[in-house]
Amino acid sequence: MSYSEAPLDNPVWFALSDTHYNECINYGNVKFYHPDFTPFGAFINNEDTSDAIEKHAHLLDNFFIVGNKPKLPNTFNLKKYVGLQMIIYNEINIPIIENIVELSETHYKDLIDLVGLVYPHFFKKKTNLLGRYYGIYKQNKLVAVTGERFKTKHFTEISAVITHPNYTGNGYATQLIGHTVKKILEKDKIPFLHVDETNLGPINLYKKLGFKLRRKMFFWQISRS
């Protein structure tokens, strides 16, 4: 597979335009996911984002624009986070010895409980509907999970790579990532992910598994003063 990677330079915009348009709130050259799905948005054409931010703040107190620095209305705060965008083009050659389950609505409470330990601010009540989620159970308890979030026409983001703190060090994340990469490639899409540049443990794991650094991405956290 060989696709233009230009959409990955503005992945939230293209996800909302290509695939997740039913989950989109469209302010013209500024788009956001509906707050039930994720707190992320993006813009194009150097749009003055002030009006869209003012409107979206009536729906969500705290949210992000991914990409270029947005223009803020008065009385709003902005905080920058730097993420690394990483990509992989081939399956990961690792043994998968655990029983990996594709999660459904029957697993919803288990998923929310696990995510709540690590990503309570990024994972909303309908985030799981944006893609497929896979998990590993031990003694009827969901202890590790990986899922899909932003989807463009040719690329799918791996997200929510989470292992319960009591179950780390067992290779669960490695196997789940390998499984998820394979499933995405089977759909003729290319997997990518975002990771905070300070999160060195996961970054080293992704490099070891074959992910390549593509670029830095800026995540601008927006809130009222």
Side-chain angles (χ1 to χ4, degrees), residues 102-110 125-126 128-129:
E102 182 168 350
L103 304 183
S104 67
E105 285 303 304
T106 61
H107 305 101
Y108 180 78
K109 185 180 183 305
D110 296 341
K125 63 182 180 180
K126 292 185 179 179
N128 65 303
L129 300 180

Side-chain angles (χ1 to χ4, degrees), residues 92-106:
I92 300 171
N93 185 24
I94 54 167
I96 296 178
I97 59 176
E98 298 295 337
N99 181 36
I100 294 177
V101 178
E102 182 168 350
L103 304 183
S104 67
E105 285 303 304
T106 61

